[in-house]
Amino acid sequence: MTEKPRILVTRRWPDAVERVLAERFDASFNTSDVAMDAKTLAEALQSFDAVLPTVSDRLPASLFEEGDLRTRILGNFGVGYNHIDIAAAEHYGITVTNTPGVLTDCTADIAMALLLSVARRTGEGEREVRAGQWTGWRPTHMIGTKVTGKTLGIIGFGRIGKAMAKRCHFGFDMDVVFYNRSKIDPVEAARYGARQLETVEDVLAAADFVSLHCPGGGENRHLINAQRLAVMKPGAYLINTARGDVVDEAALIHALETGIIRGAGLDVFEAEPNVPERLRALENVVLLPHLGSATEETRTAMGMKVVDNITAFFEGREPPDRVA
Ligand code: DGY
């Protein structure tokens, strides 16, 4: 690199990573940490060599059409990139990278936390204690659902789906079935104590807990809709740590209100950070503010992956995590 590339970091990142970026690049940081609007992002594409967005930035095709583009790489901070119009980026010759691998365990941990939390009603229990409304132990108080030995259904058997299977099968003696678009070698699946079923419906019908681990956007939008929720057991729970748009949120709210399913644990929502009032009013849901990868170790590792990707790109090497 002769002259340092101009880069824009759209949100605050862990200090250690921002320090490396500042040393290596002509870096601009978003010190206010307020999500950037479309106009600011469009201008950024015209004035920076690299833009480093997150899931809170929207980069639809229209943003790329606004003027002369200077940006040559979008180094996304996150494994999911359905907030970026990949076809448009490719059309304008912009490379896109993501951060796979380093958030697998922490995201599976949050899925496990949601599963346990909603089944054992820990959110409700905590609210009761904090409100000073607990009247003492009694045999019929806040009865939940046993987790150990139940059946887990996974939709999307990638890294995070496998990590979830491992936790549930080896930690909680659960029978694990999954749906995955491509065929997984049964020997590989067995390493995670899991077996593949033919259709999404087969998994939904078999599972006591359904955990979503597929990408968002495209044909996965509203993969879980009213028809599919109706296939789930009435006593079953839905866990979503993937992307909000994988679930038809209105249909889910109806299913939760009317007992079509028993409960849900959600880390992601259709229109983040807006969570519908009707969902927030329900006791049979556990709601988290998109915390899947939110640990010091993982967020730093994600940032360092972006550093590696854009460094490779500007040195003329293939970025390790290119998606477009
Ligand atoms: C991811 O990595 O996709 C997380 O959901 C944050 O974007």
Side-chain angles (χ1 to χ4, degrees):
M1 285 186 261
T2 43
E3 211 171 286
K4 286 181 176 181
R6 289 197 76 211
I7 67 162
L8 175 70
V9 186
T10 68
R11 301 303 296 260
R12 287 262 63 152
W13 287 16
D15 284 349
V17 187
E18 286 195 352
R19 272 199 299 278
V20 178
L21 288 170
E23 277 162 22
R24 262 186 222 185
F25 302 97
D26 176 1
S28 293
F29 298 103
N30 176 2
T31 48
S32 69
D33 203 19
V34 174
M36 291 182 175
D37 59 21
K39 185 167 172 287
T40 313
L41 288 170
E43 282 166 8
L45 294 178
Q46 292 160 35
S47 44
F48 289 90
D49 300 305
V51 173
L52 314 186
T54 72
V55 67
S56 65
D57 302 306
R58 298 266 150 261
L59 292 121
S62 55
L63 221 68
F64 298 83
E65 293 155 6
E66 302 245 325
D68 284 344
L69 300 178
R70 172 166 173 170
T71 296
R72 293 162 56 213
I73 179 166
L74 296 171
N76 187 55
F77 184 102
V79 67
Y81 49 85
N82 61 316
H83 50 287
I84 302 170
D85 190 314
I86 293 294
E90 276 177 336
H91 176 79
Y92 288 100
I94 299 175
T95 296
V96 182
T97 59
N98 71 342
T99 62
V102 291
L103 41 73
T104 304
D105 285 325
C106 287
T107 306
D109 289 349
I110 278 285
M112 197 71 231
L114 283 170
L115 188 158
L116 289 168
S117 212
V118 71
R120 301 302 309 276
R121 303 175 65 176
T122 65
E124 279 176 84
E126 228 241 354
R127 283 191 288 280
E128 187 180 81
V129 173
R130 282 185 188 274
Q133 286 170 353
W134 182 35
T135 56
W137 192 92
R138 55 199 190 277
T140 55
H141 180 220
M142 222 170 257
I143 301 304
T145 298
K146 184 174 177 179
V147 171
T148 299
K150 294 288 174 61
T151 298
L152 171 75
I154 291 179
I155 307 293
F157 204 62
R159 292 184 188 84
I160 303 172
K162 286 174 182 165
M164 182 63 173
K166 194 162 113 186
R167 280 156 180 72
C168 288
H169 181 73
F170 296 102
F172 293 85
D173 288 334
M174 293 173 85
D175 188 23
V176 180
V177 293
F178 67 90
Y179 170 79
N180 193 67
R181 224 172 341 181
S182 56
K183 181 89 184 122
I184 304 285
D185 179 351
V187 177
E188 164 76 356
R191 286 183 50 216
Y192 300 92
R195 73 201 147 81
Q196 187 162 13
L197 301 184
E198 280 297 310
T199 66
V200 172
E201 282 75 10
D202 290 343
V203 170
L204 298 180
D208 301 300
F209 297 91
V210 173
S211 194
L212 306 177
H213 298 288
C214 54
E219 59 193 42
N220 285 347
R221 184 169 184 278
H222 289 188
L223 180 86
I224 303 299
N225 54 21
Q227 291 76 18
R228 286 195 164 133
L229 286 163
V231 174
M232 289 174 66
K233 296 181 186 176
Y237 297 84
L238 181 71
I239 310 299
N240 190 7
T241 55
R243 278 293 181 264
D245 72 349
V246 177
V247 178
D248 178 342
E249 212 163 66
L252 174 64
I253 293 169
H254 175 73
L256 290 163
E257 285 175 343
T258 56
I260 291 170
I261 65 169
R262 183 142 179 199
L266 307 173
D267 188 42
V268 287
F269 304 88
E270 273 206 87
E272 294 176 17
N274 299 317
V275 178
E277 168 73 44
R278 272 169 65 201
L279 195 52
R280 285 185 280 130
L282 291 170
E283 284 292 1
N284 54 342
V285 294
V286 177
L287 307 171
L288 295 180
H290 204 144
L291 293 180
S293 59
T295 62
E296 200 178 319
E297 295 87 339
T298 289
R299 288 283 163 86
T300 303
M302 289 164 77
M304 292 313 295
K305 273 213 150 232
V306 182
V307 171
D308 290 347
N309 280 315
I310 64 169
T311 301
F313 179 83
F314 286 115
E315 287 179 355
R317 291 180 286 113
E318 176 65 12
D321 307 302
R322 179 198 283 268
V323 295

